[in-house]
């Protein structure tokens, strides 16, 4: 090749080499930043990624033929395209996980309600009337809402206090007061009470104000005894417990609302074991804020995710480290994003929500809608909510298994979108990245064990309700079994399906 050809290609060759090197370094940055690639693979990837740069540089240095330069250019363009796409993927993964792991607030949606036929269109039209409020239950949200309304309207709101939820509702329904101020989540509680099933039809929401509160997760107090200290020392350093809360709120994921799914996931990365423990929504237990008065577990969510966590800590005498919240619609999106899941069903049954949908005993291929209906079903079973909890754990187990398969690599985009819109968690990004990295490095199969506590039906007056309602009195023997299983997983012992 003559000197003119060499000079002709030298400058473009150097530019191409520089471009490949720059794109490679950007990709390397995102690869290291995501923290999910094991170091042994990371070093190999860095070497392989630098190879195209070396080849392009060598091709533009020696330039024995024009063909060499052309091939080098094609190689450079392809390499840049792949690395730019890879950088975009890594940036999206990192951004999404950062987003869902940094949410630290939740919202109490406090509404102003009048009768459906009332002509009031704004709160300013109601300021001359006393607002009915609950005297003790959920006063922090009520008082915060009153303070915001008074600031906006530049006036003081008069209030009348009612001790119970039905008393407050009756005051409005009978005309004793014209307007009430109430956390909207309690309307769903009213729906559970006989005679109030149509409460949403009888009331009209004038406005809704968001009371934003920080989520504070504190460990339950533990007695400091030598025996407990000895047990604590046996617990695996890397093991942790996650509270999984499933909600079906009309006001979105961040809204305080009843938690219809209450599952504790005990995870031990050292033994690759996950224990899922389901607690029925109607379990009759003292809430952490109810001064020893029992309530349905599902109602704990109305007072915040931390109250649900603290209540379960009290029940099982454990410390719950993190939480994950998912709305039911989010479950549907996640399953569809995964391309469907394979779920085990103990029984054959027809869905009470869709008469054309039938599940068979054994393994069933499900799309998002089917998995959602499977998770919600309780009327088809004699054990009702007990079996629903078991089914929900089977869906979670199926999602975990599918998420660990190679199929997830081609579905990452839709999965990330589903997660970002429907999940929030306090699990730190670094912990998630570490778990992914360890899984990529070991490729180990996980032992996923499920267990449901049981109880007997009863009629009691829950803390959040002012009349008798169905509850489930805990079977202490099943609670004790759950405690034993949790401690065994935390200690790194081998656990089999009970």
């Amino acid at each position: 090749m003559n000197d003119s050809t060499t000079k002709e290609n030298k400058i473009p060759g150097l530019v191409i080499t520089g471009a490949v090197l720059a794109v490679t370094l950007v990709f390397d940055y995102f690869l290291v930043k995501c923290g999910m690639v094991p170091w042994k693979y990371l070093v190999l990837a860095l070497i392989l990624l630098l190879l195209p740069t070396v080849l392009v540089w060598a091709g533009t240095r020696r330039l024995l033929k024009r063909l060499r330069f052309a091939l080098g250019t094609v190689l450079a363009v392809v390499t840049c395209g792949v690395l730019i796409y890879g950088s975009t993927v890594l940036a999206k993964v990192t951004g999404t996980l950062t987003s869902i792991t940094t949410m630290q607030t939740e919202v109490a949606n406090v509404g102003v309600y009048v009768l459906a036929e009332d002509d009031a269109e704004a709160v300013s039209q109601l300021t001359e009337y006393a607002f009915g409020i609950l005297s003790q239950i959920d006063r922090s949200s009520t008082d915060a809402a009153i303070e915001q309304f008074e600031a906006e309207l530049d006036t003081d709101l008069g209030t009348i206090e009612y001790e119970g939820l039905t008393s407050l509702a009756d005051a409005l329904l009978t005309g004793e007061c014209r307007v009430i101020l109430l956390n909207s989540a309690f309307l769903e509680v009213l729906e559970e009470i006989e005679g109030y099933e149509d409460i949403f039809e009888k009331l009209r929401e004038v406005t809704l104000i968001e009371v934003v509160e920080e989520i504070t997760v504190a460990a339950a107090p533990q007695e400091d005894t030598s025996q407990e200290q000895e047990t604590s020392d046996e617990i695996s350093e890397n093991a942790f417990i996650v509270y999984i809360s499933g909600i079906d709120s009309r006001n979105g994921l961040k809204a305080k609302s009843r938690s219809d799914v209450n599952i504790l996931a005990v995870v031990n990365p050292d033994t690759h074991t996950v224990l899922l423990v389901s607690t029925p929504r109607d379990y009759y237990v003292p809430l952490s804020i109810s001064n020893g008065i029992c309530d349905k577990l599902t109602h704990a969510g109305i007072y915040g995710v931390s109250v649900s966590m603290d209540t379960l800590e009290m029940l099982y005498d454990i410390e719950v480290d993190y939480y994950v919240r998912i709305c039911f619609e989010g479950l549907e999106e996640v399953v569809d994003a995964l391309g469907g899941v394979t779920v085990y069903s103990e029984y054959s049954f027809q869905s009470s929500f869709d008469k054309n949908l039938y599940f068979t005993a054994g393994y069933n291929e499900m799309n998002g809608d089917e998995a959602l209906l499977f998770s919600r079903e309780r009327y088809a079973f004699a054990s009702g909510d007990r079996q629903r909890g078991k089914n929900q754990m089977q869906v979670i187990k199926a999602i975990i298994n599918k998420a660990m398969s190679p199929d997830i690599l081609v579905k990452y985009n839709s999965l990330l979108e589903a997660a970002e819109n429907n999940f929030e968690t306090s699990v730190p990004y670094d912990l998630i990245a570490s778990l992914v990295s360890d899984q990529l490095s070991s490729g180990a199969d996980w032992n996923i064990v499920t267990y449901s506590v049981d109880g007997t039906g009863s009629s009691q007056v829950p803390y959040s309700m002012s009349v008798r309602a169905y509850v489930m009195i805990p079977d202490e023997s099943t609670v004790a079994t759950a405690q034993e299983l949790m401690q065994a997983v935390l200690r790194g012992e081998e656990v089999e399906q009970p």
Side-chain angles (χ1 to χ4, degrees), residues 243 259 262 279-285 287 295-301 308 311-312 315:
Y243 166 55
S259 180
N262 299 279
T279 309
R281 67 189 298 276
D282 293 324
Y283 234 42
Y284 196 53
V285 293
L287 306 187
D295 199 349
K296 294 186 179 187
L297 175 61
T298 183
H299 294 162
S308 295
T311 298
L312 289 170
L315 175 64

Side-chain angles (χ1 to χ4, degrees), residues 82-329:
V82 171
L83 294 181
I84 289 174
Y85 175 76
S87 298
T88 302
V89 170
L90 291 172
K92 185 168 186 177
V93 170
T94 303
T96 299
L97 288 179
T98 300
S99 173
I100 66 176
T101 57
T102 54
M103 297 181 182
Q104 299 296 330
T105 60
E106 56 188 344
V107 174
N109 291 286
V110 181
V112 174
Y113 298 97
V114 295
L115 292 176
E117 60 271 18
D118 196 299
D119 58 0
E121 296 294 336
V123 180
S124 58
Q125 297 175 260
L126 300 167
T127 54
E128 62 182 278
Y129 300 95
F131 283 56
I133 62 172
L134 291 172
S135 60
Q136 296 183 14
I137 300 175
D138 198 36
R139 277 306 297 263
S140 61
S141 298
T142 300
D143 292 342
I146 291 174
E147 184 177 345
Q148 290 188 43
F149 278 127
E150 289 180 338
E152 291 178 8
L153 300 171
D154 193 25
T155 187
D156 293 332
L157 295 182
T159 59
I160 304 177
E161 297 185 355
Y162 294 88
E163 186 174 351
L165 187 58
T166 55
S167 298
L168 177 64
D170 289 342
L172 180 62
L173 294 173
T174 61
E176 183 178 325
C177 67
R178 182 184 176 184
V179 56
I180 63 173
L181 192 69
L182 182 67
N183 185 331
S184 63
F186 282 102
L187 294 181
E188 297 174 346
V189 177
L190 273 170
E191 274 188 314
E192 302 176 33
I193 303 174
E194 184 178 355
Y196 298 86
E197 297 90 347
D198 58 350
I199 190 66
F200 280 96
E201 298 174 11
K202 293 182 177 179
L203 306 187
R204 183 169 59 81
E205 183 181 281
V206 177
T207 189
L208 195 71
I209 194 164
E210 293 186 347
V211 177
V212 181
E213 300 176 4
E214 289 190 7
I215 299 175
T216 56
V217 178
Q222 301 289 325
E223 294 182 11
D224 186 15
T225 66
S226 58
Q227 183 177 359
E228 287 179 346
Q229 184 62 45
E230 181 180 349
T231 302
S232 177
D233 291 341
E234 296 174 2
I235 293 177
S236 172
E237 181 179 351
N238 297 319
F240 57 91
I241 301 178
V242 181
Y243 166 55
I244 301 174
S245 171
I247 64 172
D248 197 11
S249 172
R250 294 174 170 86
N251 295 313
L253 180 63
K254 295 183 73 66
K256 290 183 177 181
S257 63
R258 295 176 305 172
S259 180
D260 290 328
V261 178
N262 299 279
I263 294 174
L264 291 176
V266 187
V267 184
N268 193 322
D270 296 334
T271 59
H272 296 96
T273 300
V274 176
L275 169 66
L276 300 175
V277 176
S278 174
T279 309
R281 67 189 298 276
D282 293 324
Y283 234 42
Y284 196 53
V285 293
L287 306 187
S288 62
I289 48 85
S290 64
N291 296 318
I293 302 175
C294 289
D295 199 349
K296 294 186 179 187
L297 175 61
T298 183
H299 294 162
I302 298 174
Y303 307 102
V305 66
S306 60
V307 175
S308 295
M309 293 173 67
D310 293 342
T311 298
L312 289 170
E313 287 182 339
M314 292 165 55
L315 175 64
Y316 294 111
D317 192 24
I318 54 167
E319 292 186 12
V320 181
D321 302 286
Y322 312 110
Y323 69 85
V324 173
R325 297 184 80 203
I326 178 174
C327 62
F328 279 114
E329 288 73 15

